[in-house]
């Protein structure tokens, strides 16, 4: 679309929708008018892609979360319209960044949701027929602000800005039935615009609505609330994203959400199949592959069986066979508390027919196990229905063709430890698919300055073939290229400083080394260890033991699940440290601690390009993969991390000499675990550790009399009823961590040497493109 056409479409939209002009429009009006103009431009390609894909085998990605981020800049970039739009804004005296007031589509919590978004982007860029199915939450992940050092939550009403990038498809609405309720599932389709114009795929998000609408009978009887009751109860289902990352109790509404979007999606797929193949289901599993993003959509297995049995008159065995051939399951965690289990009573109360199917699956599995010669004890210990609980991961492994982990180390742990019983029975079912990130959003869009340098050196093409970055290696000894990289890094840091000044009110300069940890707040990710290291460095500096230390900014971004008390205590603790360190005349010119508010995809796009040090410090064995680590790497930060998740592969690609790895490895953690006594063996014997940890309880800081800091102290030193002391091994890794961090901070003083390390990270980041990941799924799992 040329500039004049684009401009005239924008002007038309502004006039018909808002009776205004480009000079007078508000940012929101501009956002909608420009977005709709771009939509009309991609529409033919969208329809075209769908028709083309209709005639071949295709895959669906079922996920309770799609953490899309802001659509506007990304979609224009992928559609090849970004520069034109910028010109139009400039020519009309408009600030292109004013559209940053439009909220992200934050329909996800963290890694798992963002991975789904990256996969869709990659599939579209490479014309792979992959469509997403999920929930159109009215409220996405809560917005976070910090008040007096505490996290505060507020609703994320992202739809209040309009939803210019969706098309409501009323014709495809379906009915979803629960024991006590029936609701309409109405699809909203979002285009997933493939970079370079090869294809546009679809993300179909379901919204729950009443089938009855307004009850005039009740209204006439003056029962006003009752008149709207069905609407309220129906819409509650897609009202809000559960804000938990990696753990959750089994809540009734959450189960309703899962069944709601899964049932609607399976009905949609079956309907599409019947349109072309009628009642003969023999081709179904040859036409479709369905990927289950963790266990959240696992109820798809019994739901497909239910529809095939009761709707199509198939036997259980025939239906199970089709389901098993159609589905695959991705596991994203090894932590026990994150493995979904539902109480039978809850299940029976919400979706009794589905529960009956699960009983059949469980019985089928037991027969198969018995035929394989497993003894009764073993069989019972692996049952899907176990006591009064339904184990979703067990159903996911048994009811699908393949189970995959998300990094090599994670897959090895699944095979050899967490799911070893299953691996022994079905070794051929287990695969690894190391995660990736889309280089469009995470380099092209968020770092145009670095992108331009890369293109200058190796030409374009890296955007869709990231291995081409290898071509950068030969410049590593070219001082002028490293200088230019360092200057770009400085520019990105300055941009972040400006943004932080505006949004957090804190002064910061790009001469500091930027040490950044941004990710969900969780004990296993060990933000508290990072906080302790800052206190240790602070004390050292006060004692005059850190001569000429490179001034360092310790930057955090993290949301805590609203009910996760310890995580919220850690946020408060970091903010108390910030207050102390940033105001102490002895340290304030050398250290800055910043906790940015409302970390989300858009903030990540500003933080990743500005980082020198990428903090990836999870307890070894617990971070399945990590994907933030890859975003930092691609933007030329070095990793300060444990040998965990995809960090292992990052080191393998970039070389040990270009990362800062510390701490106990998985085997060592397993070895120390049985006799681990942090109180006697570390706390009482190591003065540094003691001094730092005591700041939780010795009055150095104030937790507003919440008792939060005391609880954190206890969790480390005394343990709790449900866990041993320091179950994430902060004390064990403390010294190695601080020493390694200080080594990195001092190394930074030689900017050329440090810049080379950064450069080697960029040059070796090719493996971590989600294009590679999605192609592996397409070939090895979906058999496209
Ligand atoms: C479950 C039940 C009820 C409510 C919420 C949940 C829930 C929600 C989200 C459970 C887990 C999650 C998210 C998990 C997650 O993001 N895992 C991360 O996945 C990334 C992509 O594979 C990995 O890189 C990370 O290592 C992993 O932690």
């Amino acid at each position: 679309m040329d500039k004049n056409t684009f401009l005239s479409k924008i002007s038309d939209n502004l006039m018909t929708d808002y009776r205004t002009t480009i000079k007078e429009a508000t940012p929101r009006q501009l956002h909608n008018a420009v977005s709709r103009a771009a939509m009309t431009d991609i529409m033919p390609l969208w329809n075209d892609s769908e028709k083309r894909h209709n005639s071949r085998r295709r895959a669906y990605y079922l996920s309770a979360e799609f953490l899309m981020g802001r659509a506007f800049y990304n979609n224009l970039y992928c559609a090849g319209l970004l520069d034109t739009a910028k010109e139009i804004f400039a020519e009309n005296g408009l600030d292109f960044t004013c559209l940053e007031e439009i909220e992200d589509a934050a329909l996800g919590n963290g890694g798992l949701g963002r991975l789904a978004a990256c996969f869709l982007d990659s599939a579209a860029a490479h014309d792979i027929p992959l469509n997403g199915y999920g929930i159109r939450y009215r409220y996405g992940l809560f917005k976070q602000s910090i008040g007096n050092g505490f996290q505060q939550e507020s609703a994320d009403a992202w739809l209040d800005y309009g939803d210019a990038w969706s098309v409501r498809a009323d014709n495809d609405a379906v009915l979803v039935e629960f024991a006590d309720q029936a609701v309409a599932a109405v699809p909203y389709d979002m285009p997933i615009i493939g970079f370079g114009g090869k294809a546009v795929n679809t993300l179909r998000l379901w919204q729950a609505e009443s089938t009855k609408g307004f009850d005039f009978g009740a209204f006439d009887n003056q029962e006003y609330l009752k008149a709207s009751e069905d609407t309220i109860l129906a819409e509650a289902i897609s009202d809000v994203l559960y804000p938990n990352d990696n753990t959750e109790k089994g809540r009734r509404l959450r189960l309703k959400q899962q069944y709601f979007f899964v049932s609607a999606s399976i009905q949609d797929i079956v309907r599409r199949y019947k349109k072309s193949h009628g009642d003969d289901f023999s081709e179904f599993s040859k036409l479709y592959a369905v990927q289950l993003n963790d266990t959240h959509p696992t109820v798809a297995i019994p739901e497909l069986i239910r529809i095939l049995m009761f709707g199509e008159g198939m036997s259980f065995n025939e239906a199970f066979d089709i389901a098993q051939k159609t589905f695959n399951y991705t596991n994203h965690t090894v932590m026990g508390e994150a493995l979904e289990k539902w109480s039978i009573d809850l299940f029976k109360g919400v979706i009794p027919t589905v529960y009956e199917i699960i009983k059949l699956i469980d019985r089928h599995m037991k027969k198969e196990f018995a035929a394989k010669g497993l003894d009764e004890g073993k069989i019972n210990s692996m049952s899907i229905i176990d006591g009064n609980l339904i184990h979703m991961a067990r159903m996911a492994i048994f009811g699908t063709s393949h189970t995959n982990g998300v990094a090599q180390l994670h897959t090895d742990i699944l095979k050899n430890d967490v799911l070893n019983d299953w691996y022994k029975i079905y070794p051929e079912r287990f695969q690894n698919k190391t995660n990736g990130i889309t280089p469009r959003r995470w380099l092209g869009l968020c770092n145009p300055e670095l992108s331009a340098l890369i293109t200058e050196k190796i030409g374009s093409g890296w955007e869709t073939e990231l291995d081409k970055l290898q071509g950068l290696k030969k410049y590593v000894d070219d001082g002028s290229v490293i200088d230019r990289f360092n200057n770009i890094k400085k520019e990105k840091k300055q941009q972040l400083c400006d943004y932080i000044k505006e949004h957090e009110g804190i002064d910061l300069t790009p001469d500091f080394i930027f040490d950044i940890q941004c990710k969900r707040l969780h004990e296993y990710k060990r933000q508290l260890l990072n906080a302790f290291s800052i206190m240790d460095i602070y004390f050292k500096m006060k004692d005059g033991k850190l001569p000429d230390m490179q001034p360092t900014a310790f930057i955090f971004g993290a949301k805590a699940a609203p009910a996760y008390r310890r995580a919220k205590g850690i946020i408060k603790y970091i903010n108390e440290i910030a207050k102390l360190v940033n105001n102490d005349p002895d340290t304030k010119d050398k250290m800055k601690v910043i906790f940015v508010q409302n970390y989300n995809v858009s903030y990540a796009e500003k933080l990743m390009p500005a980082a020198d040090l990428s903090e990836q410090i999870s307890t070894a064995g617990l971070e399945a993969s990590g994907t933030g680590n890859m975003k930092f790497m691609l933007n030329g930060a070095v990793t300060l991390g444990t040998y965990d998740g995809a960090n292992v592969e990052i080191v393998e690609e970039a070389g040990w000499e270009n990362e800062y790895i510390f701490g106990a490895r998985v085997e060592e953690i397993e070895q120390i675990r049985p006799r681990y006594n942090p109180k006697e063996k570390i706390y009482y014997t190591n003065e540094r550790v003691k001094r730092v940890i005591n700041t939780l309880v010795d009055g150095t800081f104030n937790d507003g009399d919440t008792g939060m800091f005391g609880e954190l102290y206890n969790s480390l030193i005394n343990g709790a009823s449900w866990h041993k002391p320091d179950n994430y091994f902060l004390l064990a890794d403390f010294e190695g961590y601080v020493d390694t961090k200080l080594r990195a901070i001092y190394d930074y003083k030689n900017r050329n040497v440090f810049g080379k390390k950064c450069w080697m990270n960029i040059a070796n980041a090719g493996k971590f493109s989600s294009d590679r990941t999605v192609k592996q799924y397409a070939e090895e799992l979906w058999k496209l």
Side-chain angles (χ1 to χ4, degrees), residues 230 241 293 358 361 374 390 394 398 420 461 559 614 628 738:
D230 197 65
L241 168 77
N293 198 21
I358 293 179
I361 299 174
L374 274 82
I390 306 171
R394 296 176 186 173
F398 181 68
N420 182 252
K559 287 180 182 173
S614 154
V738 181

Side-chain angles (χ1 to χ4, degrees), residues 260-275:
F260 165 73
F261 95 90
V262 161
S263 177
S265 307
I266 298 295
Q267 289 184 57
D268 202 38
I269 296 170
V270 168
R271 178 179 52 196
R272 190 167 302 134
Y273 178 82
K274 291 183 75 164
K275 233 162 125 185

Side-chain angles (χ1 to χ4, degrees), residues 139-424:
Y139 299 104
L141 185 62
F142 67 85
K143 289 203 280 188
Q144 176 201 56
S145 60
I146 302 294
N148 187 28
F150 292 103
Q151 165 173 298
Q152 294 162 341
E153 301 100 24
S154 58
D156 165 51
W158 69 289
L159 288 172
D160 288 0
Y161 297 82
D163 185 12
W165 296 99
S166 288
V167 178
R168 181 178 165 111
D170 278 294
N171 289 339
D172 289 348
V174 296
L175 189 72
V176 175
E177 293 182 272
F178 302 94
D180 58 346
Q181 187 182 21
V183 301
V186 182
Y188 281 73
D189 292 339
M190 287 187 177
I192 305 297
I193 305 169
F195 181 86
K198 271 206 209 161
V200 177
N201 288 342
T202 304
L203 170 58
R204 176 160 274 197
L205 298 177
W206 301 98
Q207 172 166 293
E209 295 183 10
S210 166
T211 54
K212 303 194 187 109
F214 193 69
D215 181 348
F216 273 99
F219 180 76
D220 288 341
N221 292 330
Q222 301 190 34
E223 297 174 281
Y224 302 119
L225 267 181
K226 190 153 183 282
S228 303
E229 186 180 68
D230 197 65
T231 303
I232 292 167
L233 290 175
E235 292 179 3
I237 292 177
S238 55
D239 234 11
V240 63
L241 168 77
Y242 272 81
N244 305 297
D245 181 276
N246 264 306
T247 168
E248 174 57 12
K249 339 182 222 323
R251 298 259 188 223
R252 186 182 169 85
L253 183 61
R254 169 86 182 174
L255 180 60
K256 282 200 164 179
Q257 289 186 337
Q258 294 185 353
Y259 183 66
F260 165 73
F261 95 90
V262 161
S263 177
S265 307
I266 298 295
Q267 289 184 57
D268 202 38
I269 296 170
V270 168
R271 178 179 52 196
R272 190 167 302 134
Y273 178 82
K274 291 183 75 164
K275 233 162 125 185
S276 56
H277 289 72
D279 294 335
D280 170 13
F281 274 79
S282 59
E283 297 288 305
F284 189 85
S285 66
K286 296 190 185 106
L287 217 54
Y288 306 122
V290 178
Q291 193 67 35
L292 304 175
N293 198 21
D294 214 296
T295 54
H296 317 153
T298 300
V299 68
I301 298 166
E303 177 64 2
L304 177 60
I305 295 172
R306 185 188 71 81
I307 290 172
L308 294 179
M309 286 175 73
F310 300 156
E312 307 298 328
M314 228 175 256
S315 73
F316 172 80
N317 284 339
E318 289 170 308
F320 180 82
D321 186 57
I322 290 176
Q324 191 177 45
K325 286 190 171 122
T326 303
F327 293 113
N328 294 299
Y329 155 60
T330 304
N331 173 288
H332 296 266
T333 184
V334 300
M335 286 195 299
E337 71 259 34
L339 293 177
E340 270 190 311
K341 300 171 197 78
W342 292 101
S343 99
I344 289 177
D345 288 342
L346 185 61
F347 230 88
K348 273 198 206 156
V350 175
I351 36 178
T353 320
V354 178
Y355 176 65
E356 292 304 314
I357 306 283
I358 293 179
K359 284 207 295 208
L360 296 178
I361 299 174
D362 190 51
R363 194 192 305 162
H364 189 59
M365 185 174 93
K366 287 180 169 143
K367 261 196 227 151
E368 191 169 310
F369 281 7
K372 284 178 182 284
L374 274 82
D375 66 63
E376 209 182 299
K378 186 98 254 167
I379 294 175
N380 287 333
S381 76
M382 297 174 74
S383 317
I384 295 168
I385 300 173
D386 189 356
N388 65 354
L389 292 177
I390 306 171
H391 287 247
M392 302 308 269
R394 296 176 186 173
M395 182 162 73
I397 301 168
F398 181 68
T400 64
S401 300
H402 296 287
T403 294
N404 74 282
V406 291
Q408 190 58 57
L409 181 77
H410 168 57
T411 302
D412 290 344
I413 292 172
L414 292 180
K415 288 201 229 177
N416 302 330
D417 183 4
V418 182
L419 301 177
N420 182 252
D421 281 344
W422 297 88
Y423 177 63
K424 281 191 292 204

